[in-house]
Amino acid sequence: MIKSKRHFVIAFTLLITTTFSFANETIPNITDPGDSLKSAPENWFNLDPTADKIRGVGTERAYKELLKGKKSKKVVVAVIDSGIDIDHEDLKDVIWKNDGEVAGNGKDDDGNGYVDDVHGWNFIGGKDGENVDADTYELTREYVRLNKKYKDVDPASLSKKEKVEFAYYEKVKKEYEESAKSAQEDYNYIVNFYESFKYADRLIKAYLNTEDLKAEDLSKINSTDERITQSKSLLELTIANNLTEEVFNEQLDYLTDQVEFGYNPDFNSREIIGDNYEDKSEKIYGNNDVTGPDATHGTHVAGIIAANRNNDIGIKGIADNVEIMVIRAVPNGDERDKDVANAIRYAVDNGAQVINMSFGKSYSPYKEVVDEAVKYAESKGVLLVHAAGNDAKNLDENTNFPTKTFKGSKKAAKNWLEIGALSWGDESNFVGSFSNYGKKSVDIFSPGVDIYSTVPGSKYQAQNGTSMAAPVAAGTAALIMSYYPDLSAVTVKDIILKSSVKFGDLMVNKPNEEGEDTKIKFSELSSTGGIVNVYEALKMAESMSIKNKKR
């Protein structure tokens, strides 16, 4: 997912620039912890470039100057994600309720095929209430599928068609083996680093005879013992970069999931679900647990779109008259094409007007199934908003599925917005360093760095990712539809793109994962070269709505 594969922006970057050796360990120096540890302006994504001098989308200004006293219509936004905490203090009043369903009676009251789907549906759950948490990556699944067929085959014996697939298999095999090996090495590295950190912490505390070690205590150490000096240096680095035990554990959990599940060819999550996975026409499976085992990502996304603007607690979402339909289809790993297609169809059939999709992956073996669902949404006038991904790659040359272009065709869905992640700083911190981009493939950028939003347990947290940028755009679309219900999904999409704020030939740091200072024109990162702006979009929507009424 975005948290894609669970892609999230890891809180620190480890680079071996200097080594410290003791206790049979090699300890690396630690450098730039990244955007997530810098201080962003509060509520910055809702602020305005003109009124507040902050590169947000102008939400607050729009409510104050353009929407005051105006009437709006309820809009349903489907969030296809990991699940949502529907009892969150800032979300419980904006969660969609299926009025045709009687909660808890074990019946399909509205006849849509899904039993007790009161707030949405969970396509990665089993009939007995179990849920998929972790899953494999699509790369792993493709490797397993093809390896059964080609592991011991003689390439010379293959037909012309089979040779094409065999070449694809060799590519997948190479990528899988390299990725699995890298994940294991990273895991071992973090474990060793953490052990060295704990060793250093114990040693210095014993040396200073204290259990409450503070940063200033380290400056008092004056020793020629190599173990002491190395331990002191390591602890100074970890303190300077806020590398707490919580951060270490988060990174370790991420890598553990990669090793034990993501790249594990023997793991099969579908045993929990109990569907016939090979039957891509199958639609009725799963359960009604829309929260699931880990709803952090989906809850954060939902808050950006629709956190209650009128309760004087927590945060304020973009849109003030929407309901969030919860559809769980994204595990801790890669989502599956069958589940994504069914999630889109469920959203459309149950009244969603906007669908947010903050997930993505590098392979899509059943893309045609997703394409048909996208076309179905297009035929019903539903807008799809998709996060561009967090690999710092050019999507004109790489792929982050699902995509707006259809398999085997140059045609693209007209009801699709592809969103890159904007940051809040100067030219060196203008876009998220992790964000995918593409002059042809990405439509527009919106805030996606240090976005403070809802997380489970009625808590709040700042997160980074195009996963955060997409709901800013989805919320903007829902807001326009709410106040201008006569405008179609395609028109709303066009309004968002045409009203975007441009920055001419401004040179910014090109997204990259290595922290290199490489400049590029911001206008080259997307087809519009622009940034979502609620204020300007609503002004254009007003103008277009008036024109529609005069016709």
Side-chain angles (χ1 to χ4, degrees), residues 5-72:
K5 311 177 187 171
R6 264 203 199 197
H7 280 185
F8 59 86
V9 180
I10 298 170
F12 61 95
T13 304
L14 297 173
L15 297 175
I16 302 174
T17 55
T18 306
T19 60
F20 303 84
S21 299
F22 63 88
N24 297 316
E25 307 283 2
T26 298
I27 301 181
N29 188 12
I30 301 171
T31 60
D32 182 16
D35 293 335
S36 64
L37 296 181
K38 298 175 184 177
S39 179
E42 184 178 356
N43 190 40
W44 79 270
F45 74 95
N46 278 319
L47 301 182
D48 186 76
T50 302
D52 306 303
K53 309 302 179 186
I54 299 294
R55 200 167 49 253
V57 297
T59 315
E60 304 307 329
R61 183 186 179 196
Y63 279 105
K64 182 179 179 180
E65 297 181 18
L66 302 178
L67 299 179
K68 197 171 183 179
K70 281 184 174 286
K71 292 183 178 180
S72 61

Side-chain angles (χ1 to χ4, degrees), residues 28 36-37 39 81 84 88 98 125 146 150 174 201 208 255 315 321 369 427 438 458 473 499 537:
S36 64
L37 296 181
S39 179
D81 216 290
I84 293 173
H88 193 290
N98 182 357
L146 294 165
Y150 293 111
K174 182 175 185 292
D201 186 59
L208 295 174
L255 291 168
I315 65 162
N321 193 9
V369 177
E427 289 84 350
S458 292
S499 65

Side-chain angles (χ1 to χ4, degrees), residues 76 96 98 110 112 114 117 325 345-352:
V76 177
W96 173 75
N98 182 357
D110 61 359
N112 69 353
Y114 301 94
D117 58 324
M325 180 188 294
R345 288 181 179 276
Y346 178 93
V348 173
D349 288 340
N350 288 279

